[in-house]
């Protein structure tokens, strides 16, 4: 029997073990990795799990929570502590719980039942957090949408899930209203950015920017009016059900095409629980800077649900201007920051921050994009020079696994690595061509198994079946293992990562090619000093059209109408022809090589 068949047979035996037997096997593997017992190793990371040596036995044996997202957060009895901070105005857990109760009642009063899908099109505001937990409390599903999405994107997101109610930021209201008649929307709850601000600040904002006039519509209800409809409404908290759909996040998935990632109570709670079992840097009444957006798994789970479940105050920043980081740090003195490399790069380059004492910073996490070795070293040196005992922590994940599968800090860290799998999570590397598992130090596709893995893509069985095979999530990303640590090398697909947000060229190309003057288009990522990468569009025009500035503005306007802000190309270039592969396809690789050659 060859090695592959032996491995396959061995894995089948493991799969037949019950949960208690699997725990006992993991304890044995931990002792084997520590050298406490003698035994043979297969050299296949997902079988040997050498990373278990970094976990305590109690962590390996710890059961995962079985409760709703709302109950997991509120059951910790932090009611008198500060839960949220928004522009200097604090909200205690008991106040947050009261508003969640009223919001849940308002949803029920407005026709939302268990299992219904409600869209939240919001940045980081208290109303977004309240709506998220209120929907979970009544057994409804939160459909999280980027408020800067284009009209067509928003329409598609609403229609995909048949959302009858949407909670939207006032700045996105006109877009939602413009496509409202093309959807099944019955109620649009509008939130102003100033609604939860301190009274004086909110008043100043209204005066300085003028009152935003909201176009009247029978479906529209302001947030304060909506909340009042929930007072005194009698409803029942929906009980926990295993693997029940609770959240939908939108992503390009592993193929770069828009999909709705279906996540459960278990996914969210197990993400937090596993993290705590591996990391113990959070203390009750700490403060976390919540800059990652709630419409992203990294923001909603790691930057909202995690701190609130641990008694840590979430300082909500709806829109971060890197130039304001000095002011934010000076005012709030957060103990924890979870961000993208762009954020930390801006901190390094700030002259004002350079004179600050950052000794209050205990935990600094970068995700959403790769951190190269020199940037990691610069960040760590910066923290040391500013009297912080923190070291940059990294991780790897994607929306399909609630944005977290591995983490690297302390003993588990190594330059360029993204750390070890979380305690109940398994990771393997496979040959993309054959599907066979690869031994350590060989590069292949990263696959994930564990309690944070999605249940599938909403209403998309074919793509779900491609991504989920035999219980494993096939990420489409490439990496390798070394000494129990995962090293991420690159995205398998042609994905641009701009300020930590995935941008999918195929979506941009589709929009640009819909213009009457465009014959063909290719989009690639080009380097940017702060955003890491931005999209550049190469365009071939149809005969009879000229590449004028006016035409460029038309195409840009089309993109802004139909794409989110990160996907709008930074540069447009008209070409007579584009490089092609031997098969006659446009070569994105050759275009990227051209861009690299320009700066080398």
């Amino acid at each position: 029997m060859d090695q592959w068949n032996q491995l396959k047979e061995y894995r089948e035996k493991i799969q037949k073990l019950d949960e208690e037997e699997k725990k006992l096997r993991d304890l044995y593997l931990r002792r084997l990795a520590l050298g406490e017992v003698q035994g043979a190793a297969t050299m296949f990371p997902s079988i040997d799990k050498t990373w278990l040596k970094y976990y305590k036995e109690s962590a390996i044996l710890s059961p995962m929570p079985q409760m709703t997202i709302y109950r997991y957060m509120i059951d910790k009895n932090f009611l008198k502590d500060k839960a949220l901070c928004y522009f200097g105005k604090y909200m205690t857990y008991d106040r947050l719980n009261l508003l969640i109760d009223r919001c849940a009642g308002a949803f029920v009063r407005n026709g939302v039942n268990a299992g219904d899908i409600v869209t939240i099109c919001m940045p980081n505001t208290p109303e977004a957090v309240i709506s998220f937990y209120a929907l979970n409390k009544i057994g409804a599903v939160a459909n999280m949408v980027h408020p800067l999405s284009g009209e067509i994107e928003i329409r598609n997101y609403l229609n995909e899930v048949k959302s009858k109610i949407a909670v939207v930021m006032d700045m996105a209201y006109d877009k939602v209203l413009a496509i409202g008649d093309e959807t099944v929307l019955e109620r649009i709850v509008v939130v102003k950015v100033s609604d939860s601000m301190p009274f004086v600040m909110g008043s100043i904002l209204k005066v300085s920017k003028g009152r935003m006039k909201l176009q009247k519509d029978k479906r529209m209800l302001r947030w304060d009016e909506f909340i009042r409809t929930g007072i005194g409404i009698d409803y029942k908290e929906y009980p926990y059900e295993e693997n029940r759909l609770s959240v939908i996040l939108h992503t390009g998935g592993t193929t770069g095409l828009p999909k709705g990632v279906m996540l459960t109570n278990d996914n969210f709670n197990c993400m937090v629980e596993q993290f705590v079992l591996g990391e113990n840097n959070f203390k009750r009444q700490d403060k976390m800077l919540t800059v990652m957006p709630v419409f992203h798994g990294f923001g909603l789970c790691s930057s909202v649900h995690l701190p609130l479940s641990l008694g840590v105050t979430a300082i909500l920043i709806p829109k971060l201007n890197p130039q304001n980081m000095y002011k934010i740090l000076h005012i709030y003195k957060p103990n924890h920051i979870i961000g993208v490399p762009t954020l930390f790069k801006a901190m390094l380059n700030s002259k004002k921050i350079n004179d600050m004492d950052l000794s209050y910073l205990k935990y600094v996490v970068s995700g959403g994009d790769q951190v190269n070795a020199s940037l990691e070293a610069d960040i760590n040196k910066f923290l040391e020079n500013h009297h912080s005992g923190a070291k940059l922590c990294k991780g790897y994940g994607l929306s399909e696994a609630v944005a977290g599968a591995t983490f690297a800090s302390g003993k588990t860290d190594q330059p360029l690595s993204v750390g070890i799998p979380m305690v109940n999570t398994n990771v393997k590397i496979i040959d993309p061509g054959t599907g066979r598992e690869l031994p350590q130090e060989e590069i292949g596709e990263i696959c994930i198994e564990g309690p944070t893995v999605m249940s599938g893509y909403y209403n998309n069985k074919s793509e779900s079946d491609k991504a989920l095979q035999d219980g494993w999530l096939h990420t489409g990303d490439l990496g390798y293992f070394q000494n129990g640590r995962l090293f991420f090398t690159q995205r398998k697909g042609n994905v641009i990562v701009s300020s930590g947000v995935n941008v999918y060229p195929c979506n941009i190309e589709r929009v640009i090619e819909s213009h009457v003057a465009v014959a063909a288009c290719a989009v690639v990522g080009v380097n940017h000093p702060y955003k890491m990468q931005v999209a550049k569009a190469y365009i071939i025009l149809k005969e009879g059209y000229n590449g004028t500035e006016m035409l460029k503005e038309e195409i840009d306007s089309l993109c802004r109408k139909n794409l989110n802000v990160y996907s709008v190309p930074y540069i447009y270039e008209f070409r007579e022809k584009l490089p092609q592969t031997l098969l006659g396809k446009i070569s994105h690789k050759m275009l990227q090589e051209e861009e690299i050659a320009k700066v080398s």
Side-chain angles (χ1 to χ4, degrees):
M1 186 182 293
D2 63 24
Q3 185 186 37
W4 168 247
N5 285 324
Q6 284 181 327
L7 183 68
K8 187 178 179 181
E9 186 178 285
Y10 191 35
R11 187 175 294 285
E12 287 173 353
K13 289 180 180 178
I14 295 171
Q15 289 175 336
K16 291 177 182 177
L17 300 177
D18 61 29
E19 288 305 310
E20 185 177 348
E21 290 170 329
K22 286 178 181 178
K23 293 284 187 185
L24 291 174
R25 178 177 177 273
D26 282 349
L27 288 178
Y28 165 77
L29 292 175
R30 174 183 180 274
R31 297 184 66 197
L32 184 65
L34 288 170
E36 295 176 354
V37 297
Q38 299 298 312
T42 67
M43 301 305 291
F44 289 92
S46 74
I47 301 294
D48 298 335
K49 296 184 178 182
T50 56
W51 58 78
L52 289 175
K53 65 185 176 184
Y54 295 106
Y55 290 102
K56 296 178 180 178
E57 287 192 4
S58 58
I60 293 172
L61 293 173
S62 182
M64 289 295 98
Q66 293 185 314
M67 59 185 72
T68 64
I69 291 171
Y70 164 76
R71 186 51 56 189
Y72 183 81
M73 182 275 292
I74 210 66
D75 260 4
K76 304 298 195 307
N77 196 28
F78 302 136
L79 295 182
K80 299 303 177 184
D81 292 353
K82 295 171 182 175
L84 302 177
C85 177
Y86 186 67
F87 288 93
K89 184 178 179 180
Y90 286 89
M91 182 185 296
T92 61
Y93 278 86
D94 55 0
R95 176 65 179 171
L96 173 62
N97 196 27
L98 173 65
L99 291 175
I100 290 171
D101 177 63
R102 288 181 180 174
C103 186
F107 280 127
V108 171
R109 175 74 178 270
N110 284 271
V112 177
N113 298 308
D116 287 350
I117 302 176
V118 174
T119 295
I120 300 176
C121 187
M122 295 282 295
N124 294 357
T125 68
E127 293 81 8
V129 176
I130 291 163
S131 298
F132 168 69
Y133 282 109
L135 290 169
N136 187 258
K137 187 175 184 180
I138 61 175
V141 180
N143 179 42
M144 310 302 292
V145 171
H146 196 321
L148 295 181
S149 297
E151 288 179 11
I152 307 304
E153 282 184 309
I154 293 174
R155 182 196 67 190
N156 293 343
Y157 292 147
L158 290 168
N159 285 338
E160 180 184 26
V161 301
K162 296 179 174 57
S163 213
K164 293 182 180 180
I165 294 184
V167 181
V168 306
M169 203 73 209
D170 54 0
M171 292 174 287
Y173 173 64
D174 286 346
K175 289 187 287 187
V176 175
L177 196 60
I179 50 85
D181 291 339
E182 302 171 45
T183 71
V184 296
L185 274 179
E186 297 175 357
R187 177 70 71 200
I188 307 171
V189 181
V190 183
V191 181
K192 293 180 291 184
V193 72
S194 60
D195 277 348
S196 289
M197 283 183 180
F199 177 75
V200 173
M201 184 178 290
S203 300
I204 292 172
L205 184 69
K206 290 173 187 174
V207 172
S208 63
K209 294 196 174 183
R211 289 180 178 271
M212 179 176 283
K213 291 186 178 180
L214 300 175
Q215 187 177 340
K216 290 185 178 180
D217 187 271
K218 63 181 181 180
R219 293 165 294 193
M220 191 266 282
L221 199 63
R222 294 178 185 272
W223 174 260
D224 55 350
E225 297 170 330
F226 172 72
I227 283 292
R228 282 198 294 271
T229 67
I231 297 175
I233 298 299
D234 186 29
Y235 68 91
K236 290 184 178 180
E237 180 180 335
Y238 199 86
Y240 165 79
E241 287 180 6
E242 187 177 5
N243 297 322
R244 179 179 176 82
L245 175 62
S246 300
V247 184
I248 296 175
L249 300 177
H250 295 273
T251 177
T254 59
T255 63
L257 297 173
K259 303 178 190 70
V261 177
M262 297 191 295
L263 299 170
T264 67
N265 290 298
D266 307 277
N267 293 151
F268 269 73
N269 294 339
C270 290
M271 163 68 190
V272 176
E273 193 78 10
Q274 286 187 104
F275 184 82
V276 173
L277 290 172
E279 290 288 291
N280 193 24
N281 291 314
F282 292 87
K283 290 185 178 179
R284 184 175 171 180
Q285 298 182 344
D286 276 355
K287 293 177 288 184
M288 176 186 281
L289 196 61
T290 299
V291 296
M292 297 302 296
V294 293
F295 47 81
H296 189 282
F298 198 25
L300 188 59
C301 189
S302 300
S303 300
V304 173
H305 189 49
L306 184 148
L308 292 182
S309 299
L310 302 178
V312 173
T313 306
I315 303 167
L316 300 175
I317 309 295
K319 182 181 179 182
L320 178 68
N321 181 347
Q323 305 304 319
N324 292 335
M325 271 302 291
Y326 163 77
K327 196 176 293 185
I328 291 170
L329 292 172
H330 177 72
I331 293 172
Y332 299 112
K333 294 180 173 53
N335 308 111
H336 310 278
I337 299 178
I338 294 181
V340 293
T342 306
L343 171 65
F344 301 113
K345 197 171 183 181
M347 287 176 63
L348 294 180
N349 295 329
S350 170
K351 291 181 180 179
K352 289 184 176 180
I353 294 177
N354 198 44
D355 296 325
M356 294 183 75
D357 180 349
L358 302 178
S359 55
Y360 47 80
L361 267 181
K362 300 193 299 185
Y363 196 59
V364 178
V365 181
S366 179
D369 198 2
Q370 247 181 319
V371 179
N372 62 48
S374 61
L375 179 58
E376 182 177 353
D378 288 345
I379 293 171
N380 284 333
K381 188 67 177 174
F382 173 85
L383 292 170
E384 181 184 346
N385 290 343
H386 290 76
H387 314 296
S388 169
K391 293 279 188 183
L392 183 69
C393 300
K394 301 157 296 178
Y396 167 77
L398 62 170
S399 295
E400 287 86 345
V402 203
T406 72
F407 69 92
S409 67
K411 293 180 180 179
T412 67
D413 191 22
Q414 188 175 326
L416 295 178
S417 86
V418 289
I420 64 171
M422 293 191 178
V423 65
N424 280 352
T425 296
N426 201 356
V427 178
K428 69 177 179 180
I429 307 296
I430 67 167
D431 182 320
T434 65
R436 293 189 173 189
E437 185 168 356
L438 298 173
Q440 66 170 330
E441 301 193 0
E442 288 194 32
I443 295 175
E445 183 180 4
I446 301 169
C447 298
I448 303 170
E449 178 189 54
T452 63
V453 171
M454 68 171 182
S455 54
Y457 295 117
Y458 187 83
N459 200 27
N460 197 335
K461 186 177 186 303
S462 61
E463 289 299 327
S464 297
D465 290 343
K466 289 178 187 176
L468 297 170
Q469 299 177 32
D470 297 323
W472 289 88
L473 171 64
H474 290 242
T475 68
D477 294 335
L478 302 179
Y480 64 94
F481 267 103
Q482 187 179 77
N483 298 324
R485 297 179 181 87
L486 179 65
F487 288 76
F488 170 82
T489 56
Q490 67 179 51
R491 304 285 177 184
K492 186 180 174 185
N494 181 26
V495 180
I496 300 165
V497 181
S498 183
S499 294
V501 176
N502 284 359
V503 172
Y504 302 97
C506 59
N507 294 345
I508 305 171
E509 291 163 0
R510 191 181 303 115
V511 169
I512 293 176
E513 287 175 353
S514 71
H515 192 284
V516 66
V518 176
C521 174
V523 174
V524 300
V526 296
N527 291 338
H528 186 275
Y530 284 104
K531 299 175 184 291
M532 306 304 279
Q533 279 194 315
V534 291
K536 178 175 180 177
Y538 297 88
I539 301 169
I540 297 177
L541 297 176
K542 293 176 182 176
E543 191 173 345
Y545 290 92
N546 296 314
T548 63
E549 283 299 313
M550 184 178 293
L551 180 56
K552 191 180 290 184
E553 288 173 7
E554 277 186 27
I555 294 172
D556 184 70
S557 178
L558 181 68
C559 289
R560 292 183 185 281
K561 182 180 176 67
N562 292 284
L563 298 167
N564 67 51
V565 67
Y566 298 98
S567 299
V568 175
Y570 203 74
I571 306 167
Y572 298 87
E573 182 177 324
F574 294 113
R575 289 275 188 104
E576 292 294 326
K577 60 181 180 180
L578 294 171
Q580 295 183 337
T581 66
L582 294 175
L583 295 175
K585 296 181 179 181
I586 295 173
S587 175
H588 291 77
K589 182 179 179 182
M590 292 174 69
L591 288 171
Q592 287 176 323
E593 288 172 349
E594 283 183 27
E595 293 298 328
I596 293 171
K598 288 178 183 178
V599 295
S600 60

